[in-house]
Amino acid sequence: MSDENIQMYDVIVLGAGPVGENVADRTAAAGLRTVIVESELVGGECSYWACEPSKALLRPALLYGEAARFPGVANAVTGPLDADAVLKHRDRMAADWDDRGQVEWLESAGIALIRGHGRLDGVREVTVETPGGGTVRLRARHAVAVCTGTRAALPPLPGLDALRPWTSREATSAREVPRRLGIVGAGVVAVEMATAWRALGAEVVLIAREPRLLARVEEFAADLVAGRLRAAGVDLRFGSGIVTAERAGGPDDGIHLGLSGGERIVVDELLFATGRAPRTDDIGLETVGSVPGDWLATDDAFTVTAVDGEWLYAVGDVNHRALLTHQGKYQARIAGQVIADRAAGRELDRSPWGAHAGTADLVAVPQVVFTDPEIAAVGLTTEEAARLDRTVDVVDYEIGRVAGAIQHDPEYRGRARILIDPERRVIVGATFAGPGVAELLHSATIAITGEITVDRLWHAVPSFPTISEVWLRLLETYRDQRAKP
């Protein structure tokens, strides 16, 4: 095919999720002619099957739990959640799975959109198979950014297709509440969906090979969540796995599961929340010397290290640095600036906190688990510090002893932990577990990112009565710990 049949752009972006949109926004704003290729909905996983719909399901559950425990309000909570109303709210938050609003934003930003499945086809070239069966060939003058994200990773269980299992997509978009829901996994998706669907009336059993929930957070925080789930009626089966699974023929027969301990249970739907895999198996990586299905390793400018020429970028989940939407958007802002500056011939600032270095993925990744109670964490955990042989001082404080917490919930249960580097006297990790702690997280992220010493933090005065007063109590506790002989 001759060059006259190839559409030329400065930048080609594969994937129109939040990450791809942010890369394209930066490059288009810099005057680079940019096109996004998307095979599904513009807005991606986060908008339609992850962040937005999952939080729409969880927020009513958390509000209900708080109201049911609060004096003067508890008596007004006279019945169960209105599941139909919650699902309608979820639908609104997912824009009814209609991406017209996102497409209009692309147009307003001057970003072209091609619908179809895009594959790399050599250096700076992409071939798109369109929904109508046609083919579009694209060539980039400067860069191709792979922002294809991840998909649910399913286990190699015989007969899995016949089970018609749920992944995170089905769990966040289901049209009705299942009577009996089985969940396999112990991570964030597993515990958030257990929280939401139990609150909406489902009988939930969570099956995990792990000995506890949420292996990557502090154990005290995971234990608080496990306690609340049990109190809500969720059946937690740790150290267990599925050996056999069969969907019976009758409409009410459900899925029959044989567990590793010899037990048998029956559920109506089965959610596998067992990890994520990169969407790189069919994007033409073999044409540029890479392996289809692999994660794409990058440098801190998000250039793919295995491909020469500094033209191929991998941004967001696909590079496996931090599988979180906000981190992917952070990476996208940097990658977009790198592409624009390289195109203009400007020298990159690769210093640790320079404009072209994605170092937050290494030192200060914030995450909120929207369970009851919430978990908000950033930086190192105690286990990670030990694994890295980092010396840290561990400081704990019961958040329920803070006046603002009692105002929030008279029976408040929660704990805060910070990890302090004793030599530099800076915070290197923070975890908060309890109702309403998500809003504490950015202050901890700033403290870690800014390497603010605990001596300076004494002069950051928290408002009274708010939960943020826990910062003062943590510093007082640290002072007292250091004063002991």
Side-chain angles (χ1 to χ4, degrees), residues 251-263:
D252 298 322
D253 289 341
I255 302 172
H256 293 248
L257 304 176
L259 305 186
S260 53
E263 300 170 274

Side-chain angles (χ1 to χ4, degrees), residues 327-338:
Q327 291 298 123
K329 292 164 72 172
Y330 158 78
Q331 294 176 13
R333 294 191 291 271
I334 292 172
Q337 189 65 50
V338 167

Side-chain angles (χ1 to χ4, degrees), residues 351-363:
S351 60
W353 297 112
H356 306 99
T359 53
D361 293 334
L362 307 176
V363 297

Side-chain angles (χ1 to χ4, degrees), residues 210-244:
E210 297 86 347
R212 71 172 178 94
L213 299 176
L214 300 167
R216 296 185 180 181
V217 307
E218 296 281 7
E219 188 168 1
F220 75 82
D223 288 345
L224 285 169
V225 172
R228 279 284 194 216
L229 286 174
R230 285 195 177 101
V234 175
D235 184 0
L236 301 179
R237 308 283 186 99
F238 295 122
S240 184
I242 295 176
V243 178
T244 62

Side-chain angles (χ1 to χ4, degrees), residues 84-105:
D84 288 341
V86 171
L87 294 180
K88 288 178 181 177
H89 168 64
R90 183 274 319 271
D91 294 350
R92 286 193 298 273
M93 293 303 297
D96 291 309
W97 293 273
D98 185 329
D99 66 358
R100 282 177 292 183
Q102 299 280 48
V103 172
E104 289 173 0
W105 175 82

